[in-house]
Amino acid sequence: MPARTETAPLPVRLADYQPPAWHVDHADLVFDLGIDATEVTARLTLRCAGTPAQPLQLDGEGLEPLAFVLDGEPLPDDAWRAIDGGIEIDGARNGSVLETRVRLHPAANTTLEGLYLSGSREAGFLLTQCEAQGFRHITWYPDRPDVQATFTVTLRADRERFPVLLAGGNPDGAGELADGRHWARFVDPHRKPSYLFALVAGRLEKIEHPYRTADGHDVAIRVWSEANVIDRCAYAMDALIRAMRWDEQTYGRNYDLDVFNVVATHDFNMGAMENKGLNIFNAKCLLADPDTTTDDEYRRVEAVIAHEYFHNWSGNRVTCRDWFQLSLKEGFTVFREQSFSADMNSRPLKRIEDVSLLRRAQFPEDAGPLAHPVRPAQYREINNFYTATVYEKGAELVRMLAGRLGTEGFRRGTDRYFADNDGRSATIEDFLAALGSANATDLTPYLAWYGQSGTPHVRARGHYDATAHTYTLTLAQHTAPSHDQPRKLLLPIPVRLALFGPDGQKLALHLDGQTSVAGDETVIVLDQPEQQFVFHAVPARPVPSLLRGFSAPVVLESDATAADIALLLRHDSEGFNRWEASQQLAAHAFRNLRDHAGEAALDAWCDTLAALFDDDALDAALLADLLTPPGEVELAERETSVDPQAIHVLRETLLARLATRIGAARLDARHAALAARASAALDAPSQAARRLKQRVLQLIAHLDAAHASDLAHAQYHAAQGMTDRLGALAVLARHDAVRGAATLAHYRARYANDPLALDKWFTLQAQLPGEGALARVAALETDPAFTLKNPNRARALLGGYATGNPTGFHRADGAGYRHYADRLLDLDALNPQIAARLATAFNGWQRLEPRRREAARTALETLAAHPALSRNLAEIIGNVRKG
């Protein structure tokens, strides 16, 4: 591939937004499809928003122009010209019809943006990916979300090679053509931006289910995949039907087309895409069966299916005005998805899962050089802003608003939002205005959350007056300056809280300033630098349970003692806060070990968990999470000079001490009891049992590696599903070199033709800790199944290594950084989006201890000096270096 010499684009700024000068009222597209060459004819009905004196400018990249016709007349060569990122055309007027024809080369498109080939030339199929700016790789068009049009799409192709033809909208005819070709037409009556365009063409099979919406509309739901995996689509269909019914009941939203198509592909840059009427899914987010799918992956399939369907309203019917408003659709939809998953499964466990992800992915992003607001002020490459901040933190902001308004008030607000903005391109301000006006509430103070980067820290300290029986809670907020915002605004921070007495019972709350008893829980809002909240009639020194349910995305720093936190771990009625107490206590114990500051916290953590270990009333899945201390990435976030190897050793010490305190006999007995109940069932108790069994097996390995190997070997060969099989394999690979190697080989042979199962095999080995990981990764790169052309495979091995193996990636000699930088360059030549996303693994390098920091700096400087970086990768490397 020839070297690129892309110039860095000028930044796009929110403050510079201007409405489009030209709109498209209707787009009529005809595709003559082929693997090597596809021709696209576009007939656009134009509308001028202002004076027609301004030339028509259309976006387009990598297009081979074949024809331009304006109002029935071919355009002379001097009536159009190439401009940066597109073309400019003279002579267009209000109501003009522009017809263009271009040629594309799908098989040569390795970026997986625009129209491309998934799979092999012989058996693969054609599909599109247009968000955020992929449509400009298909035809000339004003490719921005505030230009919305109705679409008619006609697909023409060889019937034998492309028997299935799909596009967004409703089917509107099909038939035969000469020379073995056929055609199919689709009409979408709903106005939509170009990023929601989609087509699929190839040899696919389907499962189908009829569905009647709550408002009486009949819909044909079809889930498509290649024939060899069509039997793994049933769970996705079930999840989709449940999501559609839930959205009708919870938000009053009904589906609005006659068909709903969902297609699985193994070649996709994202998780899935909500194209109107034709959702396209990364296969790992759609295909599922017990033999190849873990319990976590089943829940992921359910969540992503729901997420993309919910976009039909929060994203499609109401889309974003510009890409700065991306969280308007993504943050809101993630919140909707999380709420659905909580209703389908366990609400406390779902909250734990979501907050764990936030702390693991978004908090580090917010604390480093890649920090940006939920609504950025500017960007250079929009594909680099599909981040944890936009998605996960954006969802937390919606959750705060929902908590502020209550269930009924939030429903009134979302009804108003959808009614006021249906068919429009909206903004964050529109969202807040609708929620507020429906509830006669001013929500504009929350706009500061959308415009400010960084994670606020809330300091809490309490004072109990035994004479007056009052408890004074003092809260203070601070957000550290960042590279993009040296001065931070005060934020409204809702703190949901309860007070617990010495006996572990919740106390009635009598908050100063409230005219009535607040029950045993209340929400206070911290919106000043420091505030005091006084509670009366408190019979004894209480222990506060703060940020219940994680009521705001902040870091809490409190004066609670180890004994206080242990009381919450034993007695808190909120499942999330019980887990949070375990996390806080483990973090205290970690710091005590690091600083040689005694073992009070370690003893409290171990003793409390040991006492809870045999509590049959405690949910098994929650117990598994309680037994899991913060991960190495989360512990590193609390350090000012990060030594990944030292963190790893200390965390392993925590686990060994916990295992010792529980005792080998109790661990063995619990494992045996759980193993006796083994099944492949997907009900909550069965999933919980498997989750706890794996955690217990890992603790046994910290006491007796040989015994754990025996148990894991038996579990692997008796496993009825992937959760038990993969869990056993992980223990063997880590604790028994001989059995581990043999079992890895067995797994490799068993799943030789299953891409998703092989991804797990690559990731598991990439994440085995220690400096030997680099040699292992290098060897795996020579495996015949490894390819950088497939995003899932690249993420599985390279991403698994860099983000999931701190001791392996952060080798003191810098070899991990150098190897990774070389692979990023190889990947950048194929797929800049994936290269840029994987490059974010360097985020936070400035906080490494000096030797590793210097090695990371050198690797980044070498990357930055490369003459042919894509715009995507250059922006990420540039931002990471300057932080």
Side-chain angles (χ1 to χ4, degrees), residues 70 201 209 319 332 463 466 524:
L70 183 63
H209 196 286
T319 192
F332 184 22
H463 173 72
I524 56 180

Side-chain angles (χ1 to χ4, degrees), residues 209-214 217-221 241 244-245 248 255:
H209 196 286
Y211 183 86
R212 175 164 291 180
T213 65
H217 185 67
D218 289 323
V219 181
I221 306 174
I241 292 170
M244 295 174 75
R245 194 63 72 199
E248 293 168 354
Y255 188 65

Side-chain angles (χ1 to χ4, degrees), residues 513-787:
Q514 288 187 345
T515 56
S516 59
V517 176
D520 58 12
E521 289 193 17
T522 192
V523 177
I524 56 180
V525 178
L526 171 64
D527 56 10
Q528 299 300 316
E530 183 173 291
Q531 290 169 253
Q532 289 189 336
F533 302 88
V534 180
F535 296 85
H536 298 275
V538 182
R541 177 185 174 274
V543 176
S545 174
L546 303 175
L547 291 170
R548 293 175 67 74
F550 203 64
S551 57
V554 302
V555 173
L556 178 65
E557 303 165 354
S558 88
D559 61 355
T561 66
D564 292 336
I565 302 173
L567 182 142
L568 295 177
L569 175 54
R570 289 193 302 272
H571 298 292
D572 203 319
S573 55
E574 169 73 56
F576 169 83
N577 280 71
R578 204 170 191 181
W579 170 81
E580 180 75 319
S582 179
Q583 297 288 288
Q584 291 177 7
L585 206 50
H588 275 293
F590 174 88
R591 291 193 294 272
N592 288 165
L593 287 175
R594 179 197 63 196
D595 299 336
H596 307 288
E599 297 188 352
L602 178 59
D603 288 341
W605 183 62
C606 292
D607 290 348
T608 306
L609 289 177
L612 293 172
F613 186 75
D614 296 319
D615 183 353
D616 292 334
L618 186 60
D619 178 81
L622 178 57
L623 176 59
D625 287 353
L626 296 181
L627 294 169
T628 307
E632 292 173 28
V633 172
E634 295 163 78
L635 291 170
E637 282 304 299
R638 307 164 192 258
E639 303 290 293
T640 55
S641 180
V642 177
D643 181 340
Q645 180 62 33
I647 291 172
H648 174 75
V649 170
L650 288 173
R651 187 176 185 274
E652 290 295 293
T653 301
L654 285 178
L655 289 167
R657 293 288 293 272
L658 176 61
T660 300
R661 179 64 185 82
I662 295 172
R666 294 169 70 196
L667 288 168
D668 278 349
R670 192 67 183 264
H671 185 272
L674 292 165
R677 295 169 46 196
S679 77
L682 288 175
D683 58 275
S686 297
Q687 290 194 41
R690 287 190 290 268
R691 191 183 188 108
L692 180 58
K693 180 172 64 175
Q694 183 61 24
R695 193 75 202 117
V696 171
L697 180 59
Q698 291 165 345
L699 289 172
I700 291 172
H702 281 84
L703 291 180
D704 186 341
H707 179 46
S709 174
D710 290 340
L711 294 174
H713 187 260
Q715 177 176 309
Y716 176 87
H717 289 286
Q720 300 180 47
M722 182 56 81
T723 300
D724 279 351
R725 184 173 298 113
L726 194 68
L729 181 60
V731 170
L732 289 169
R734 183 166 177 179
H735 296 284
D736 188 330
V738 176
R739 269 181 174 166
T743 313
L744 283 166
H746 179 274
Y747 183 104
R748 176 68 176 81
R750 174 174 179 153
Y751 294 107
N753 298 313
D754 191 307
L756 300 182
L758 280 183
D759 285 340
K760 290 186 268 286
W761 182 79
F762 279 102
T763 297
L764 186 152
Q765 295 177 81
Q767 293 183 342
L768 293 176
E771 291 195 348
L774 177 57
R776 189 179 309 111
V777 168
L780 287 168
E781 289 173 355
T782 67
D783 187 286
F786 181 74
T787 174

Side-chain angles (χ1 to χ4, degrees), residues 23-37:
H23 291 269
V24 177
D25 282 331
H26 184 70
D28 192 330
L29 308 179
V30 178
F31 288 78
D32 286 292
L33 295 165
I35 290 174
D36 290 309

Side-chain angles (χ1 to χ4, degrees), residues 1 80 85 87 313 333 443 527 561 621 648 682 712 754 833 863:
M1 179 175 290
W80 70 276
I87 60 171
W313 277 91
T333 304
L443 296 176
D527 56 10
T561 66
H648 174 75
L682 288 175
D754 191 307
Q833 282 191 42
L863 264 175

Side-chain angles (χ1 to χ4, degrees), residues 26-110:
H26 184 70
D28 192 330
L29 308 179
V30 178
F31 288 78
D32 286 292
L33 295 165
I35 290 174
D36 290 309
T38 287
E39 291 192 5
V40 183
T41 301
R43 184 179 173 87
L44 309 180
T45 303
L46 303 169
R47 174 166 47 87
C48 182
T51 170
Q54 185 173 345
L56 172 66
Q57 292 186 351
L58 301 175
D59 299 301
E61 296 181 13
L63 306 176
E64 182 182 339
L66 300 177
F68 294 96
V69 177
L70 183 63
D71 294 327
E73 298 293 331
L75 273 181
D77 289 345
D78 61 356
W80 70 276
R81 65 203 66 85
I83 59 174
D84 185 28
I87 60 171
E88 187 173 78
I89 294 175
D90 297 327
R93 55 182 175 77
N94 193 44
S96 283
V97 176
L98 175 67
E99 185 173 321
T100 65
R101 187 160 52 91
V102 299
R103 182 177 292 120
L104 316 176
H105 303 280
N109 181 2
T110 63

